[in-house]
Amino acid sequence: MEPVVELQQITHVYVSDREASLALDGLDLKVYPGEFVSLVGPSGCGKTTLLSIIAGLLQPTKGGAFVYGKKVQGPTPEVGYMLQQDYLFPWRTIFENASIGLELTGRTDERHLARTLSLLEEMGLEAAANLYPQQLSGGMRQRVALVRTLSTDPGLLLLDEPFSALDYQTKLQLEDLISETLREKNKTAVLVTHDLSEAVAVSDKVILLESHPGRIRKTFTVPEHIRLARPLMARELSGFNELFHEIWREMESAGEKE
Ligand code: ADP
Ligand code: MG
């Protein structure tokens, strides 16, 4: 099977006028169709850098990044990017915010707009379509951001800590909604999170990065019975805590080497 994402020996150096810092060092990664992969690791280990490279927003210093077999040369509609902050425009309604990707790609036809409306409905936002962002809660705004990301129908979603600004209960609900939605629509996803229990609950694979320089330390496969359960339920299953602690211990010992 062709991977959706393939990174070959990705190295990235940030250069400023005072110094050069090695953020990623010779990183290889493959993500296959329909997989939900989480990237975890200490702050500053290069998670956002990695996503930016896959998204085509940042050109790696060395190595090759491929999405659907094509070399990444800039952002494309096949890839959706969702961030911790929702970046909704305050002067646009929820529907206008949700359909902005269609405007930017020149696809504001009846069919696409109707699809966006039905995505809003799926997210329980139909009553909010004509409201403005400041009238919505944080959880609702992140759901709008998800609709905006999905409206152009990307096959690959990159999610950079999309739940971390939310309160705990909202976060659990949104994890559930996002993972169910992506599974149902058969999307491929890479999620960055600093929350190990979230990573185990939503993904098929958890990739632990270490820092200075950023490298893959270890990849953990989530057991099938946990993978198939909804994130909210997954936390209750046998084997969940064991895997959580295994990743935790590995992360701690990675920290000790510094
Ligand atoms: P993470 O998302 O895992 O917290 P980042 O990818 O944001 O990590 O950062 C990786 C490393 O690169 C960090 O040491 C960070 O300080 C550095 N870095 C990130 N962005 C820049 C930048 N624009 N200029 C210089 N250094 C940066
Ligand atoms: Mg980051």
Short mmCIF file of all heavy atoms in Angstrom, two decimals, residues 14 21 23 42-50 212, ligand 1:
data_model
loop_
_atom_site.label_atom_id
_atom_site.label_comp_id
_atom_site.label_asym_id
_atom_site.label_seq_id
_atom_site.Cartn_x
_atom_site.Cartn_y
_atom_site.Cartn_z
N TYR A 14 16.85 25.61 12.03
CA TYR A 14 16.38 27.00 12.05
C TYR A 14 17.60 27.90 12.17
O TYR A 14 18.44 27.70 13.06
CB TYR A 14 15.47 27.25 13.26
CG TYR A 14 14.08 26.67 13.12
CD1 TYR A 14 13.71 25.53 13.82
CD2 TYR A 14 13.14 27.28 12.30
CE1 TYR A 14 12.42 25.01 13.72
CE2 TYR A 14 11.85 26.76 12.17
CZ TYR A 14 11.50 25.63 12.88
OH TYR A 14 10.23 25.13 12.77
N SER A 21 19.85 26.26 14.96
CA SER A 21 19.47 25.17 15.85
C SER A 21 18.85 24.02 15.05
O SER A 21 18.03 24.22 14.16
CB SER A 21 18.53 25.67 16.95
OG SER A 21 17.21 25.75 16.48
N ALA A 23 16.45 21.33 14.65
CA ALA A 23 15.15 20.96 15.22
C ALA A 23 14.80 19.50 14.92
O ALA A 23 14.28 18.80 15.77
CB ALA A 23 14.07 21.89 14.68
N PRO A 42 8.34 15.80 24.38
CA PRO A 42 8.49 17.03 25.16
C PRO A 42 8.36 18.29 24.29
O PRO A 42 8.59 18.25 23.08
CB PRO A 42 9.92 16.92 25.73
CG PRO A 42 10.60 15.87 24.92
CD PRO A 42 9.54 14.95 24.42
N SER A 43 7.99 19.36 24.94
CA SER A 43 7.87 20.64 24.27
C SER A 43 9.20 20.99 23.58
O SER A 43 10.26 20.79 24.15
CB SER A 43 7.52 21.68 25.33
OG SER A 43 7.44 22.93 24.73
N GLY A 44 9.12 21.42 22.34
CA GLY A 44 10.33 21.81 21.62
C GLY A 44 11.00 20.66 20.89
O GLY A 44 12.10 20.82 20.34
N CYS A 45 10.37 19.48 20.83
CA CYS A 45 11.04 18.34 20.17
C CYS A 45 10.81 18.34 18.66
O CYS A 45 11.32 17.47 17.96
CB CYS A 45 10.62 17.02 20.79
SG CYS A 45 8.93 16.54 20.44
N GLY A 46 10.03 19.30 18.14
CA GLY A 46 9.92 19.41 16.68
C GLY A 46 8.59 18.96 16.10
O GLY A 46 8.46 18.81 14.88
N LYS A 47 7.58 18.79 16.95
CA LYS A 47 6.28 18.29 16.46
C LYS A 47 5.64 19.26 15.46
O LYS A 47 5.21 18.85 14.37
CB LYS A 47 5.33 18.04 17.64
CG LYS A 47 5.89 17.05 18.67
CD LYS A 47 4.93 16.78 19.80
CE LYS A 47 4.65 17.95 20.74
NZ LYS A 47 5.82 18.42 21.50
N THR A 48 5.59 20.53 15.84
CA THR A 48 4.98 21.52 14.95
C THR A 48 5.81 21.69 13.68
O THR A 48 5.27 21.83 12.58
CB THR A 48 4.81 22.87 15.70
OG1 THR A 48 3.88 22.66 16.77
CG2 THR A 48 4.27 23.96 14.79
N THR A 49 7.11 21.65 13.83
CA THR A 49 8.00 21.74 12.67
C THR A 49 7.69 20.62 11.68
O THR A 49 7.56 20.86 10.47
CB THR A 49 9.48 21.66 13.13
OG1 THR A 49 9.73 22.70 14.08
CG2 THR A 49 10.45 21.79 11.96
N LEU A 50 7.52 19.42 12.22
CA LEU A 50 7.22 18.26 11.38
C LEU A 50 5.89 18.44 10.63
O LEU A 50 5.81 18.20 9.42
CB LEU A 50 7.16 17.03 12.29
CG LEU A 50 7.27 15.68 11.63
CD1 LEU A 50 8.59 15.59 10.89
CD2 LEU A 50 7.21 14.58 12.68
N HIS A 212 16.13 17.73 20.86
CA HIS A 212 17.53 18.22 20.78
C HIS A 212 18.52 17.16 20.38
O HIS A 212 19.34 16.75 21.21
CB HIS A 212 17.93 18.90 22.10
CG HIS A 212 16.97 19.98 22.48
ND1 HIS A 212 16.12 19.86 23.55
CD2 HIS A 212 16.66 21.15 21.89
CE1 HIS A 212 15.36 20.95 23.62
NE2 HIS A 212 15.67 21.74 22.61
P1 ADP B 1 7.10 21.40 19.42
O1 ADP B 1 5.96 21.68 18.52
O2 ADP B 1 7.41 19.94 19.58
O3 ADP B 1 6.98 22.05 20.76
P2 ADP B 1 8.64 23.02 17.54
O4 ADP B 1 8.59 22.28 16.26
O5 ADP B 1 7.76 24.19 17.70
O6 ADP B 1 8.45 22.00 18.76
O7 ADP B 1 10.13 23.50 17.78
C1 ADP B 1 11.27 22.64 17.67
C2 ADP B 1 12.55 23.42 18.00
O8 ADP B 1 12.77 24.40 17.00
C3 ADP B 1 12.49 24.17 19.32
O9 ADP B 1 13.77 24.11 19.91
C4 ADP B 1 12.14 25.58 18.92
O10 ADP B 1 12.66 26.51 19.84
C5 ADP B 1 12.78 25.71 17.55
N1 ADP B 1 12.01 26.61 16.67
C6 ADP B 1 10.72 26.44 16.31
N2 ADP B 1 10.31 27.41 15.46
C7 ADP B 1 11.41 28.22 15.28
C8 ADP B 1 11.64 29.40 14.51
N3 ADP B 1 10.70 29.92 13.73
N4 ADP B 1 12.88 29.95 14.58
C9 ADP B 1 13.85 29.40 15.34
N5 ADP B 1 13.70 28.30 16.09
C10 ADP B 1 12.49 27.70 16.07
#
